[in-house]
Amino acid sequence: MIFRQILALIRQNPFFSAVSIIGTTVSIAFVMVVYMVYDIQTANIRPESHRDRMVYSSYGYSFRKADHSNSNTGMSYQAASRVFGDLPGAELVTYMGNSPMEYCGVSPEKGRRCQRRRVDLNFWRLYDIRFLAGRPFDQQEFDACADVVVIAERLAREAFGSAEEALGKNYFVGFYPKRVVGVTEDVSSLFTFAYGEVWTPYYTKDPDWGSEGLRGGFEAMVLCKPDVSPAEMKLQIESSLDRLNASLTEYELTLPDLSTYTERQFFRDDFLSPTVTCVILGLILLIVPAINVSGLISSQMSRRLSELAVRKAYGASRSTLIGQLLLENMLLAFIGALLGFLLSCLLLWLGKDWMLAGGYTEGNFEVSIWLFLRPTVLLSAAGVCVLFNLLSVFIPAWNATCRPIAEVISGE
């Protein structure tokens, strides 16, 4: 009965219905773009399945204590292991060496530039990267910094025809042959830290660059224990760093960019967090159009005042009438929300290079459609739809049902 009445109202007022749907579509599309950019960049999504529990060191820098001279960006493996190696709140710590683009291929004459990652065994425990063939390098191979390599499926297919055929073959990395021990699924460069195309062990012996062994090219990634917050972990790291610096005589190491995943992807500000910023922006994009649609709905309600007055005269309560009006407009809001969600997916897909990658898309930058269809995203779209309906309809419905019955019927 209610559904038939809603369809009849839509047919009676096609212009109003069209404008309402278009307004809802555009509003929800913009809000969902903001939400999905934030969600894709911060949510726990495989292979980066523990983003909310991560703390990152960045590279840091060292300098001479006396006069802050001889400043050098970077942190050695020795320094990193002393700061991060014995943190009580850490479930897992992995170190990553500098990650250059290097010439890789089946031979020195046939290849292309690829993203090389220098990692340890904990990298494969931290990031949920599936192996299609073979395995990661083992402890013995890592300790010896053996000439072994793990490559992505795309490279294996290009060079050897399949993942299985690549195992045991030589693959040149930086013009040096390395034996393929494993082939992984392709990892999108959307995942900043898990991404790579070739992975090799790193040397744990730092070069003798002076600065009391602080200089190097490593950064640390810490997975907090479930009962330890990232803020608590930062305090533990800072205490450990203070102990290291107290043991040094001439130089000092500082880590000014300790950050969570969200802070690393967006910005670090003690006054306004990225979450609060996105919420405020989303509300602005939602409330302003809702006010405009609310004005349109108010004019539509004025035409139905006599109908509402008669129903009140026959015993309908204000809450019943408001609920009825909200339900009637919910169908239009739902249609607009569905179109808005599809439009937001299209906008994000077309603009993914700069909205998700900031214009840097070198490497395998792929965005799966399933990132848009995750349950949290769909539920968020439904929630935005309900919120928009409440913002745009509730006040006009309340005002319309407040009018005295006698005043409405008499035409005053």
Side-chain angles (χ1 to χ4, degrees):
M1 177 64 180
I2 294 177
F3 188 72
R4 287 199 300 270
Q5 182 179 351
I6 294 172
L7 291 179
L9 289 172
I10 293 175
R11 286 194 295 268
Q12 292 171 11
N13 303 279
F15 177 76
F16 164 77
S17 301
V19 172
S20 179
I21 289 173
I22 292 172
T24 304
T25 298
V26 174
S27 303
I28 290 183
F30 287 149
V31 173
M32 289 305 299
V33 165
V34 172
Y35 171 78
M36 286 193 288
V37 168
Y38 179 81
D39 178 68
I40 291 172
Q41 295 280 26
T42 61
N44 295 331
I45 304 173
R46 197 183 69 82
E48 295 179 346
S49 305
H50 308 290
R51 288 172 168 177
D52 59 335
R53 294 167 53 199
M54 295 297 300
V55 174
Y56 300 87
S57 72
S58 189
Y59 288 104
Y61 68 93
S62 58
F63 53 85
R64 189 175 278 113
K65 291 182 179 181
D67 54 7
H68 280 226
S69 64
N70 198 24
S71 178
N72 295 287
T73 300
M75 175 172 56
S76 68
Y77 176 78
Q78 171 192 328
S81 58
R82 289 181 65 182
V83 173
F84 296 90
D86 192 26
L87 298 171
E91 180 177 317
L92 196 65
V93 178
T94 184
Y95 308 104
M96 184 180 293
N98 52 22
S99 303
M101 297 292 292
E102 292 198 20
Y103 185 86
C104 301
V106 70
S107 69
E109 298 79 21
K110 187 178 180 181
R112 60 184 178 84
R113 283 166 54 82
C114 297
Q115 181 74 61
R116 176 184 182 179
R117 296 286 198 184
R118 293 182 172 95
V119 299
D120 54 27
L121 275 65
N122 278 349
F123 176 88
W124 305 108
R125 301 185 183 112
L126 177 60
Y127 296 113
D128 187 16
I129 302 174
R130 289 188 293 127
F131 275 77
L132 305 179
R135 55 171 177 78
F137 36 81
D138 58 29
Q139 188 67 57
Q140 183 178 356
E141 292 165 336
F142 174 77
D143 292 340
C145 199
D147 286 327
V148 294
V149 64
V150 174
I151 65 176
E153 181 187 15
R154 183 171 60 169
L155 300 184
R157 290 186 179 277
E158 289 176 359
F160 307 105
S162 70
E164 292 75 13
E165 288 295 323
L167 295 181
K169 305 288 179 58
N170 279 339
Y171 192 77
F172 285 79
V173 180
F175 300 101
Y176 292 95
K178 297 182 182 293
R179 179 170 54 89
V180 178
V181 296
V183 178
T184 72
E185 63 182 349
D186 291 327
V187 180
S188 171
S189 58
L190 173 67
F191 301 100
T192 308
F193 299 98
Y195 169 67
E197 294 176 285
V198 297
W199 294 267
T200 60
Y202 56 70
Y203 289 103
T204 57
K205 185 175 181 180
D206 296 309
D208 186 16
W209 285 342
S211 303
E212 292 188 84
L214 298 180
R215 291 176 60 188
F218 284 86
E219 61 179 320
M221 292 166 277
V222 183
L223 176 64
C224 304
K225 292 179 178 178
D227 59 341
V228 176
S229 70
E232 293 171 330
M233 177 53 62
K234 287 182 182 180
L235 294 176
Q236 293 184 17
I237 294 170
E238 289 168 356
S239 296
S240 182
L241 179 62
D242 290 341
R243 290 193 294 271
L244 170 66
N245 287 327
S247 69
L248 302 174
T249 56
E250 185 179 2
Y251 283 84
E252 181 176 331
L253 176 69
T254 183
L255 298 172
D257 292 324
L258 280 177
S259 57
T260 63
Y261 193 95
T262 302
E263 292 168 342
R264 186 71 175 261
Q265 293 299 93
F266 290 94
F267 49 81
R268 294 177 279 283
D269 192 313
D270 294 334
F271 176 70
L272 208 59
S273 72
T275 305
V276 173
T277 302
C278 288
V279 169
I280 292 174
L281 180 59
L283 287 176
I284 291 173
L285 291 173
L286 196 64
I287 291 174
V288 174
I291 292 173
N292 293 330
V293 174
S294 179
L296 182 65
I297 292 175
S298 293
S299 64
Q300 181 67 16
M301 291 288 183
S302 63
R303 302 177 186 178
R304 301 181 59 188
L305 288 177
S306 57
E307 172 201 337
L308 297 175
V310 170
R311 293 174 63 183
K312 285 178 68 176
Y314 279 92
S317 65
R318 178 183 297 173
S319 60
T320 300
L321 294 176
I322 292 176
Q324 177 79 33
L325 294 172
L326 288 173
L327 188 60
E328 289 175 3
N329 284 274
M330 181 60 74
L331 179 59
L332 296 178
F334 177 77
I335 295 172
L338 179 60
L339 295 176
F341 175 71
L342 296 176
L343 178 59
S344 67
C345 292
L346 178 62
L347 292 173
L348 192 55
W349 180 263
L350 295 176
K352 63 183 184 298
D353 289 355
W354 62 272
M355 281 193 278
L356 295 176
Y360 176 78
T361 57
E362 187 172 359
N364 178 36
F365 185 73
E366 296 181 357
V367 179
S368 171
I369 189 63
W370 296 109
L371 290 176
F372 305 142
L373 301 179
R374 290 179 294 117
T376 53
V377 176
L378 298 177
L379 288 174
S380 298
V384 172
C385 170
V386 173
L387 180 59
F388 185 86
N389 189 51
L390 289 173
L391 290 173
S392 59
V393 178
F394 183 79
I395 293 178
W398 178 270
N399 290 334
T401 55
C402 280
R403 297 285 298 275
I405 298 174
E407 180 182 309
V408 174
I409 294 177
S410 64
E412 296 180 6

